[in-house]
Amino acid sequence: MHSRRKALTALLATSMMAGLAAPAWAQGEPAISADDPGAIIVTARRRAESIQTTPVAVTALQGAQLEGAAALTIGDLQGAAPNVVITSGGTGAAAANISIRGIAFADIEKSFDPAVGVNIDGVYIGTSTGQMLDFFDIDSIEVLRGPQGTLFGRNTIAGVINVKRSRPKNEFSGKLELEVGSYGRFSSRNVVHVPVVRDILAAKFFYMHTQSNGYYRDLADGGKHRGGTNNENFGASLLFTPSSNFEALITVDKQVQDFDPVLGSLTKTGDAFAGAMPPALVDQSNTRGIYNVIASKSLYGKYRSPGVTAEMNLDLGGIKLTSVTAYRESTDDIMQDYGSAGLYATNRDQTYHQFSQELRASGRIGDSFDYVAGVYYFKSRYHLDQATSVFGAAPTLQSTTGWSESYAGFIDVNWEVLPKVRISGGGRYTHDKKSLQTAFTDPGNPSASFAAPRVSDTWNKFTPKIGIDYRPNQNLMLYASWSRGYRSGGFNGRGLTVYSATLPYEPETVDAWEAGLKSELWDRKLTVNLAAFYSDYKGIQQTGTVAVPGIALPQTVVINAAAAKIKGFEADVTLRPVDGLTVRGAFGYTDASFRGFIVDQPVATGATTSISRTFDFSGVDMIYAPKITASINAEYTVPLEGKLDADLKFNAGYRYLSRYDQQISADPAIYPTAISAPAGATVDVPRNDPRLRSDAQNLIDISASVIFKLNDSTRARVTGFVRNLLNDRGSQTAFTASAFPVYWGFATAREPRVFGAQLGLEF
């Protein structure tokens, strides 16, 4: 370990010395802001550059776009960026299920790592909880598609969502907003910037509150609304700029959520729990019935997550040094029954904390070579106490603690080898260590109780990237790249036997090829960015129930069960045909298929006996991988004539997502075939359970705003909006418990049609 730390330190020192030896910023560096004020600036490669000169498939959304579309959370990106699906986790606080290019992660268990890295102000969020962010205080969002392992690290095999909040300003300013809407929605969101010491110290204070009654209906309580939430997000930032070449930005914030964690029922006749559940919750329609619940009023969810981030930048002329230090912790306490009307209830009490430190050096050497290099450290720990009661029996008790530690060193370079031709690439070396310890107590079956030893394992991975781009003129760039992504191995935090709680699973990897073009046409009124990709996805981590020789009970384990081939196409288009009108469109096509997804799984045949069969899941759909995602959004601003100094702004958007599955689980229709199949036979699984499929979504959002210009620096805004105008309802996450037989099923519901109005002030 000591030698590894020395190596990483040496890498950073070398990169710093190279930058110090370099001349000042070269004349040949592209002008980004001063000479090109219309450019969209992104930091997709940890350096500020125009999106049109960045050889990465990236969709960038600015804060004004999100405001005009009345977007509320990160979930509103779904469909707006090609091949991106984002849904609410349902069983975790502020949790998001995110899929990019057919690679998804849909679990709130903190022993598992996300497949999409969500970065807030340069800080990686290590779990899916806390990722469903509010959009109000957002400066920009970048959606990077494809593996980003070189610069953003492990657990970014699908891509990265890079979120940048607004920075404190050296002038008294701010924006305030009140909103009312359907289902008892009310929000107050406020940001104020204060110059503490002119041009030296600036402060930003923010407070956001959102509440709603929820859009589920409790059939046992006169149809009253359930699923309500109360969210708070508040904090402060300080920007210290004592000189022209140094700045320090410190942000302290806290996220608080109290919510009613009800879930809709997907239970069908034939499920093991069906006969004991209220008939009104059995055999409901997948699109409408899941909005009806029967749930105890004692259910609750509580989430608290404070954090602090410190970013420092030092510009030494030929080199820029950046340090990002962050600490975040969270506590969640959730009492939930998973759409089972109380038949299966859990109380999950969790604590989590993470610490990360990144040091980067960036600069240029001569006129044709620039680089970013650095080292990274991440450490986390979580503890879970879970009590589970089935059919009112005395609860079982699970106590699990997980530890994670990661070291990495990386470098990324651009080299203009010929006029208009650049080679880019680099690599990242990552060392991961994970540990887990679980104890389990079952009052009804003492023989099942155990205290497993603490187990640990380590993984090392090098994730390279290489690319080439060619700019025949200032309005066109062609590029191609190959990159490798890596998702860490680990241990199963749901293991409830010594075997399953101590069995490690190995990392996932993806090799991704991408080719694309970026173009600006018609005097830059039309932007067309295209990308085609092919991904070879290996070692896919999958939870399953397996039979283990010498162990009587079936084991729920995580195994590297399959591989997959994924290919597709993407388009991002922006058109500004006349003054005041902007039309944005996105299209994504994904063709994803499993390879070699074969597992041995027990099939229950009686109360005390079982047989095992081999199942081939290669024919089922991958989860959260719609073949088509598409969107078009138009924004039109009209100045109002006369004495009123105001603008009228219209915004209309349409998003389409084709159907997709939400869990890998065999269709119960093959259950008789599996039982009758001879021992040693392989049973083909043609599809997942149909109730786990989200139907095609057609989502229309519209808004109209009047923006009053009160003076040179003050604007007032009145907005009316409708989200999901067609009231397109259905599931956004779905799950069935166990298989052969299914015990029961549950789901979260999509937001129905919502009306609302906003009153805003910006000064």
Side-chain angles (χ1 to χ4, degrees):
M1 183 65 70
H2 181 65
S3 60
R4 184 180 299 112
R5 290 178 179 173
K6 289 177 63 178
L8 295 179
T9 303
L11 172 62
L12 180 63
T14 300
S15 62
M16 289 181 176
M17 292 177 65
L20 289 168
W25 296 101
Q27 295 288 331
E29 183 180 4
I32 292 177
S33 56
D35 297 338
D36 195 3
I40 297 175
I41 306 304
V42 297
T43 55
R45 298 193 301 161
R46 299 292 199 185
R47 38 167 88 77
E49 54 191 343
S50 166
I51 191 172
Q52 293 305 111
T53 62
T54 304
V56 175
V58 54
T59 298
L61 296 96
Q62 308 302 307
Q65 293 175 238
L66 303 170
E67 179 184 277
L72 301 176
T73 70
I74 195 174
D76 292 304
L77 292 175
Q78 176 168 269
N83 291 321
V84 175
V85 177
I86 305 175
T87 66
S88 173
T91 56
N97 299 330
I98 307 177
S99 169
I100 298 179
R101 290 183 172 177
I103 297 178
F105 173 77
D107 205 313
I108 53 91
E109 199 68 46
K110 289 180 171 59
S111 61
F112 305 133
D113 295 313
V116 175
V118 174
N119 281 44
I120 305 173
D121 294 339
V123 178
Y124 167 73
I125 303 300
T127 71
S128 64
T129 53
Q131 291 183 342
M132 194 60 77
L133 305 170
D134 190 294
F135 267 165
F136 185 69
D137 187 34
I138 300 300
D139 187 52
S140 67
I141 292 182
E142 302 164 9
V143 183
L144 287 62
R145 302 184 295 278
Q148 306 295 325
T150 300
L151 285 171
F152 289 90
R154 66 192 181 103
N155 307 330
T156 60
I157 59 172
V160 167
I161 297 178
N162 195 27
V163 180
K164 291 189 289 185
R165 294 179 289 192
S166 68
R167 293 162 62 89
K169 300 177 181 177
N170 272 298
E171 59 182 10
F172 184 72
S173 60
K175 60 178 184 177
L176 318 173
E177 181 182 274
L178 294 175
E179 178 184 316
V180 294
S182 308
Y183 302 100
R185 180 178 177 86
F186 171 77
S187 72
S188 172
R189 298 185 283 185
N190 314 275
V191 178
V192 176
H193 301 267
V194 179
V196 181
V197 179
R198 178 66 65 179
D199 298 328
I200 294 178
L201 182 63
K204 180 188 77 171
F205 303 94
F206 56 94
Y207 172 77
M208 287 163 274
H209 168 85
T210 302
Q211 65 184 55
S212 74
N213 296 332
Y215 39 80
Y216 295 91
R217 295 277 188 177
D218 194 333
L219 300 179
D221 194 19
K224 289 185 178 180
H225 285 295
R226 296 293 302 270
T229 63
N230 188 94
N231 300 298
E232 313 271 349
N233 194 324
F234 51 89
S237 296
L238 291 175
L239 178 60
F240 180 51
T241 52
S243 64
S244 61
N245 68 337
F246 176 78
E247 67 174 20
L249 175 64
I250 300 175
T251 300
V252 179
D253 67 293
K254 186 173 184 178
Q255 186 175 5
V256 175
Q257 183 182 29
D258 295 291
F259 58 103
D260 179 18
V262 299
L263 296 164
S265 173
L266 290 179
T267 301
K268 299 177 67 173
T269 298
D271 292 350
F273 281 21
M277 288 182 63
L281 296 184
V282 180
D283 296 324
Q284 295 189 100
S285 163
N286 188 36
T287 57
R288 296 282 177 172
I290 56 174
Y291 291 81
N292 298 322
V293 301
I294 296 176
S296 169
K297 294 182 180 180
S298 64
L299 303 183
Y300 62 84
K302 299 179 181 180
Y303 177 70
R304 308 288 186 268
S305 181
V308 59
T309 301
E311 177 185 334
M312 293 182 288
N313 293 286
L314 176 63
D315 191 343
L316 298 176
I319 183 172
K320 180 179 179 181
L321 304 179
T322 299
S323 168
V324 181
T325 308
Y327 174 81
R328 180 163 294 278
E329 63 183 36
S330 67
T331 58
D332 2 356
D333 185 6
I334 302 175
M335 174 66 77
Q336 196 165 30
D337 77 2
Y338 304 93
S340 65
L343 298 180
Y344 185 96
T346 66
N347 178 212
R348 292 171 58 86
D349 190 353
Q350 267 185 119
T351 60
Y352 171 83
H353 69 253
Q354 68 170 63
F355 170 82
S356 62
Q357 173 65 61
E358 183 171 66
L359 298 172
R360 295 195 307 269
S362 59
R364 296 181 65 87
I365 301 175
D367 294 340
S368 60
F369 188 89
D370 68 85
Y371 67 92
V372 177
V375 292
Y376 179 77
Y377 174 74
F378 177 89
K379 185 175 184 178
S380 70
R381 178 188 181 275
Y382 85 94
H383 180 77
L384 166 68
D385 288 316
Q386 176 169 317
T388 304
S389 178
V390 182
F391 287 94
T396 61
L397 303 176
Q398 176 191 352
S399 177
T400 297
T401 304
W403 298 264
S404 177
E405 192 171 28
S406 180
Y407 301 86
F410 60 91
I411 187 168
D412 182 84
V413 303
N414 284 322
W415 181 23
E416 188 175 6
V417 293
L418 295 170
K420 303 179 181 180
V421 178
R422 290 186 304 179
I423 292 177
S424 60
R428 187 183 193 102
Y429 177 82
T430 303
H431 171 80
D432 287 321
K433 179 180 180 180
K434 287 190 176 180
S435 305
L436 191 82
Q437 187 170 30
T438 295
F440 178 72
T441 303
D442 185 351
N445 182 16
S447 64
S449 301
F450 69 91
R454 175 171 172 170
V455 288
S456 300
D457 207 341
T458 60
W459 299 271
N460 302 294
K461 195 67 178 178
F462 178 67
T463 49
K465 179 175 183 176
I466 188 168
I468 185 171
D469 62 79
Y470 170 56
R471 289 182 60 85
N473 56 59
Q474 292 299 310
N475 299 318
L476 177 65
M477 181 178 73
L478 307 173
Y479 72 93
S481 67
W482 167 81
S483 61
R484 175 168 292 162
Y486 155 74
R487 184 172 169 224
S488 176
F491 295 90
N492 179 14
R494 288 199 179 92
L496 296 182
T497 65
V498 173
Y499 177 85
S500 60
T502 59
L503 179 70
Y505 54 88
E506 296 303 310
E508 296 178 340
T509 61
V510 62
D511 287 293
W513 290 261
E514 180 178 314
L517 69 83
K518 297 191 175 185
S519 62
E520 293 178 306
L521 309 168
W522 196 15
D523 195 23
R524 301 185 67 178
K525 291 186 172 75
L526 175 64
T527 300
V528 179
N529 295 340
L530 308 176
F533 63 90
Y534 175 81
S535 300
D536 186 6
Y537 189 17
K538 299 175 182 177
I540 300 175
Q541 298 163 5
Q542 182 66 40
T543 300
T545 305
V546 299
V548 179
I551 300 179
L553 295 175
Q555 304 286 293
T556 300
V557 298
V558 177
I559 56 176
N560 300 89
K565 306 294 184 183
I566 308 172
K567 56 188 176 182
F569 172 80
E570 297 165 344
D572 265 315
V573 179
T574 301
L575 173 64
R576 299 178 179 87
V578 296
D579 289 344
L581 176 62
T582 301
V583 180
R584 299 179 178 89
F587 176 84
Y589 172 79
T590 299
D591 181 8
S593 58
F594 282 117
R595 296 286 189 273
F597 193 169
I598 299 174
V599 296
D600 291 328
Q601 187 166 328
V603 179
T605 57
T608 60
T609 61
S610 67
I611 60 175
S612 180
R613 291 289 178 264
T614 300
F615 292 89
D616 186 349
F617 283 84
S618 300
V620 307
D621 287 349
M622 296 179 68
I623 64 171
Y624 296 96
K627 281 192 175 296
I628 295 175
T629 61
S631 69
I632 185 169
N633 179 275
E635 183 177 276
Y636 185 48
T637 302
V638 184
L640 296 178
E641 304 292 341
K643 295 182 179 180
L644 188 64
D645 189 5
D647 291 333
L648 185 61
K649 180 183 288 188
F650 298 97
N651 193 291
Y654 169 71
R655 292 176 290 154
Y656 172 79
L657 292 89
S658 59
R659 62 175 178 80
Y660 58 86
D661 288 358
Q662 299 151 312
Q663 182 195 358
I664 304 296
S665 184
D667 185 348
I670 71 168
Y671 184 32
T673 303
I675 294 176
S676 62
T682 297
V683 179
D684 288 328
V685 181
R687 58 190 170 275
N688 290 313
D689 192 325
R691 75 188 103 172
L692 302 172
R693 174 163 292 176
S694 171
D695 57 325
Q697 300 176 40
N698 293 275
L699 307 173
I700 296 178
D701 307 312
I702 60 173
S703 68
S705 301
V706 181
I707 303 170
F708 301 93
K709 303 173 185 176
L710 304 182
N711 55 46
D712 290 342
S713 60
T714 305
R715 303 286 186 272
R717 174 177 56 86
V718 178
T719 299
F721 65 86
V722 183
R723 290 198 306 274
N724 192 7
L725 178 66
L726 301 179
N727 200 26
D728 188 325
R729 298 190 176 210
S731 64
Q732 64 171 344
T733 58
F735 193 85
T736 55
S738 191
F740 307 128
V742 172
Y743 292 162
W744 83 101
F746 59 90
T748 62
R750 297 199 292 267
E751 181 185 58
R753 180 168 50 231
V754 171
F755 298 88
Q758 297 174 345
L759 176 63
L761 179 67
E762 187 169 354
F763 59 92

